[in-house]
Amino acid sequence: MDLSLYITGVDLLGTFVFGLSGGTVAIRHRLDVFGVIVLAVAAALAGGMLRDMLLGATPVIALADERYLLVAVAAALVAFFFKPLISRLGKPVMVFDALGLGLFAVTGCRKGLEYGLDPVVSVLLGVLTAVGGGLVRDLLVTEVPRVLREEIYALAAFVGATVVVVGEYLVLADWLVTLVGISAAFSVRVISVIYGWSAPRSPWL
Amino acid sequence: MDLSLYITGVDLLGTFVFGLSGGTVAIRHRLDVFGVIVLAVAAALAGGMLRDMLLGATPVIALADERYLLVAVAAALVAFFFKPLISRLGKPVMVFDALGLGLFAVTGCRKGLEYGLDPVVSVLLGVLTAVGGGLVRDLLVTEVPRVLREEIYALAAFVGATVVVVGEYLVLADWLVTLVGISAAFSVRVISVIYGWSAPRSPWL
Amino acid sequence: MDLSLYITGVDLLGTFVFGLSGGTVAIRHRLDVFGVIVLAVAAALAGGMLRDMLLGATPVIALADERYLLVAVAAALVAFFFKPLISRLGKPVMVFDALGLGLFAVTGCRKGLEYGLDPVVSVLLGVLTAVGGGLVRDLLVTEVPRVLREEIYALAAFVGATVVVVGEYLVLADWLVTLVGISAAFSVRVISVIYGWSAPRSPWL
């Protein structure tokens, strides 16, 4: 399968789940239907927009390809009309967020490598792409962003992006690397929430 | 009249009224003269900067054309020295904000079309341009951004940008489309505030 | 000495001290080690990223040159492990922040001039570069950004950037202009804190 088609697919899926997370946060904050769309679109598109602006891949893909916007709005409407279904997932924002985190960490890092960036900075780009959407979402409702509030968050994105860099180095098949990267980021994030893992604090607190 | 001159004029007017809104918010928060300038410049320039960074129209117009900065600073000084005059307008921040919303929704959408974007995404770009300045302004003083707090806000920008797309499609005169687009966005916003219109909330709240 | 090497050195130093400021803020907020890294990287890189996105100097230098990321992470680790040493400085966040402010005001303004911007807007770019990192840092921990909370802050960056423009005009040696610009911004900021200087408020409060 063609690689760029592949990345677009993964990217659009990330757009959808981050859109769901944004829409669900908006409903929890009792926003109206427009607020739900705004927050879904912001959560879904901000990470990729940041990635493309930093790379200079402009017009950013979320503007150049109208499917991104349509997918984000679709996610908003799904969140708006099917809230009870989504709520049965238990912690829906966390789960969608964790999946989006993995998907965008992988596509962000791969796009960095494609643009000839050093692997180390490609990982940074993956992390920024992954945390960007949730960051804007949380800032808009003036919550402390999940990336700082939660213990293992940026780390999960870091793990997913690192898998891509290692996979590239070992010349593994793209679909395999993508799958392992997404799963790794998602698992690290979800398991850390379930088990309440936390990272060390400064010894000097 | 030359179209790009035209857009620049509308854009500079939007810069001025958003600058007034930023300056007025700063004074209400009892900030000093520098705080007033910072907030006016942020509110006036952030939306257009975001638009140009997303498009890759760099250096962004607010840097390439020094009039934008001068207009923003002028708005700050007007807000600083003529506060009582401005206050007589009743709800000055809301009024300037609504006008800026309409002006930037129109120029943002038109610039998107000029760059060959799909009409649907051009509308998104218009909305982002329109809400960007107010968003940064409100985040800076850690208020919940108007775009989420107020019921009909992003929608007003959406209406203004949609007028541009429809006008382009019908090959109407640019000045007419511009005028109708700005008026539509401004009216939707101001009337919704006056009558306390609100949009539907999720049925599952 | 080659000018661009020179700027890179000053830029990396700014990256380091803003990283320290971000790391120290994170520790004060009792964040874990990843939170410290996230906040240090954000504070260290956001200003320069904003500058380069606005200019269209992409991929932004913080991605194109991996030393920026490494320096930012190093600053995070120094903050994490040597907190007591840093605390002896009295007001460490303020001091690092003031130094970063001067360093980035100078490099931001100079980069604007290099890209052929008008001197007036180059000063704006210097100020944006200087305040960007601290802004993102403070927003992430939902504090009112220093740039609005503190009286003389954007002004200090403005002074530093203005020195560069004046120095360029007078064709002074680059090292001298750089040194005077950084010192001026740093001094204005630190002295204003020590003496509790404040700027005039609107006469109409």
Side-chain angles (χ1 to χ4, degrees):
Chain A
M1 192 177 176
D2 179 41
L3 179 60
S4 77
L5 247 177
Y6 201 65
I7 293 189
T8 304
V10 175
D11 223 25
L12 284 171
L13 189 58
T15 302
F16 189 74
V17 291
F18 261 130
L20 285 180
S21 86
T24 310
V25 166
I27 293 171
R28 219 178 48 201
H29 279 260
R30 312 186 64 85
L31 299 176
D32 62 36
V33 61
F34 304 119
V36 172
I37 293 175
V38 167
L39 215 56
V41 169
L45 304 186
M49 284 179 165
L50 179 62
R51 174 197 62 204
D52 292 349
M53 289 193 295
L54 291 169
L55 280 175
T58 52
V60 300
I61 190 74
L63 290 180
D65 181 342
E66 66 270 25
R67 288 176 298 174
Y68 284 83
L69 177 57
L70 299 178
V71 163
V73 172
L77 297 179
V78 168
F80 190 76
F81 289 111
F82 301 101
K83 171 95 205 316
L85 237 81
I86 290 174
S87 296
R88 288 220 210 109
L89 276 166
K91 301 187 149 197
V93 176
M94 190 276 286
V95 172
F96 294 134
D97 198 85
L99 189 53
L101 200 68
L103 292 159
F104 278 168
V106 165
T107 60
C109 181
R110 205 188 284 281
K111 196 156 186 175
L113 292 172
E114 256 175 52
Y115 270 74
L117 298 185
D118 189 272
V120 175
V121 260
S122 296
V123 169
L124 171 66
L125 190 62
V127 173
L128 287 176
T129 310
V131 306
L135 189 57
V136 172
R137 177 196 65 208
D138 295 345
L139 286 178
L140 280 173
V141 291
T142 58
E143 286 184 357
V144 178
R146 207 161 274 252
V147 64
L148 283 179
R149 203 175 47 196
E150 309 264 343
E151 322 264 86
I152 310 285
Y153 189 87
L155 180 69
F158 177 83
V159 168
T162 304
V163 167
V164 173
V165 164
V166 172
E168 196 89 351
Y169 183 74
L170 300 176
V171 204
L172 299 178
D174 282 317
W175 67 267
L176 181 67
V177 171
T178 302
L179 206 68
V180 173
I182 296 168
S183 313
F186 181 76
S187 312
V188 168
R189 175 72 188 122
V190 171
I191 293 174
S192 81
V193 171
I194 293 175
Y195 289 94
W197 283 352
S198 69
R201 284 192 162 61
S202 173
W204 310 108
L205 272 179
Chain B
M1 191 178 177
D2 178 41
L3 179 60
S4 76
L5 246 176
Y6 201 65
I7 292 188
T8 304
V10 176
D11 222 26
L12 284 172
L13 189 58
T15 302
F16 188 74
V17 292
F18 261 130
L20 285 181
S21 86
T24 310
V25 166
I27 292 171
R28 218 179 48 203
H29 279 260
R30 310 186 66 83
L31 299 176
D32 62 37
V33 62
F34 302 119
V36 172
I37 293 175
V38 167
L39 216 56
V41 169
L45 304 186
M49 283 178 165
L50 179 61
R51 175 196 63 205
D52 292 349
M53 289 192 295
L54 290 169
L55 281 174
T58 51
V60 300
I61 190 74
L63 290 180
D65 181 341
E66 67 270 25
R67 287 176 299 175
Y68 284 83
L69 176 58
L70 299 178
V71 163
V73 172
L77 297 179
V78 168
F80 190 77
F81 288 113
F82 300 101
K83 172 95 203 321
L85 237 81
I86 291 174
S87 297
R88 287 221 210 108
L89 276 168
K91 301 187 150 197
V93 176
M94 190 276 287
V95 173
F96 293 135
D97 198 85
L99 190 52
L101 200 68
L103 292 159
F104 278 168
V106 166
T107 60
C109 180
R110 206 188 284 281
K111 197 157 185 175
L113 292 171
E114 256 175 54
Y115 270 73
L117 298 185
D118 189 271
V120 175
V121 259
S122 296
V123 170
L124 171 66
L125 190 63
V127 173
L128 287 176
T129 311
V131 307
L135 189 58
V136 172
R137 176 196 66 207
D138 295 343
L139 286 178
L140 281 173
V141 290
T142 58
E143 286 183 357
V144 178
R146 206 162 274 253
V147 64
L148 283 180
R149 203 174 47 196
E150 309 264 342
E151 322 264 88
I152 311 285
Y153 189 87
L155 180 69
F158 177 83
V159 169
T162 303
V163 167
V164 173
V165 164
V166 172
E168 197 89 352
Y169 183 75
L170 301 175
V171 205
L172 299 178
D174 283 319
W175 66 266
L176 181 67
V177 172
T178 302
L179 207 67
V180 173
I182 296 168
S183 311
F186 180 77
S187 311
V188 168
R189 174 74 187 121
V190 170
I191 293 175
S192 80
V193 171
I194 293 175
Y195 288 93
W197 284 351
S198 67
R201 285 191 164 60
S202 174
W204 311 107
L205 270 180
Chain C
M1 192 179 178
D2 179 41
L3 181 58
S4 75
L5 246 176
Y6 200 65
I7 293 189
T8 303
V10 175
D11 223 26
L12 284 171
L13 189 58
T15 302
F16 189 75
V17 291
F18 261 130
L20 284 180
S21 86
T24 310
V25 166
I27 293 170
R28 218 179 47 201
H29 278 260
R30 312 186 65 83
L31 299 176
D32 62 36
V33 63
F34 303 118
V36 172
I37 293 175
V38 167
L39 216 57
V41 169
L45 304 185
M49 283 179 166
L50 179 62
R51 175 196 63 205
D52 292 349
M53 289 192 296
L54 290 169
L55 280 174
T58 52
V60 300
I61 190 75
L63 290 180
D65 181 342
E66 66 270 24
R67 287 176 299 174
Y68 284 82
L69 176 58
L70 299 178
V71 163
V73 172
L77 297 179
V78 168
F80 190 77
F81 289 112
F82 300 102
K83 170 98 204 320
L85 235 81
I86 290 174
S87 297
R88 287 220 211 109
L89 276 167
K91 301 187 150 196
V93 176
M94 191 277 287
V95 172
F96 293 135
D97 197 86
L99 190 52
L101 201 68
L103 292 159
F104 278 167
V106 165
T107 59
C109 180
R110 206 187 284 280
K111 196 157 186 176
L113 292 171
E114 256 175 54
Y115 270 73
L117 299 185
D118 188 270
V120 175
V121 259
S122 297
V123 169
L124 172 66
L125 190 62
V127 172
L128 287 176
T129 311
V131 307
L135 189 57
V136 172
R137 176 196 65 207
D138 295 345
L139 286 178
L140 281 173
V141 291
T142 57
E143 286 184 355
V144 178
R146 207 162 275 252
V147 65
L148 283 180
R149 203 174 48 197
E150 309 264 342
E151 323 265 87
I152 311 284
Y153 189 86
L155 181 68
F158 177 83
V159 169
T162 303
V163 167
V164 173
V165 165
V166 172
E168 197 89 350
Y169 183 75
L170 300 176
V171 206
L172 299 178
D174 282 318
W175 67 266
L176 181 66
V177 171
T178 302
L179 206 69
V180 173
I182 296 167
S183 312
F186 181 78
S187 310
V188 167
R189 174 73 187 121
V190 170
I191 293 173
S192 81
V193 171
I194 292 174
Y195 288 93
W197 283 353
S198 67
R201 285 191 162 60
S202 173
W204 310 107
L205 271 179

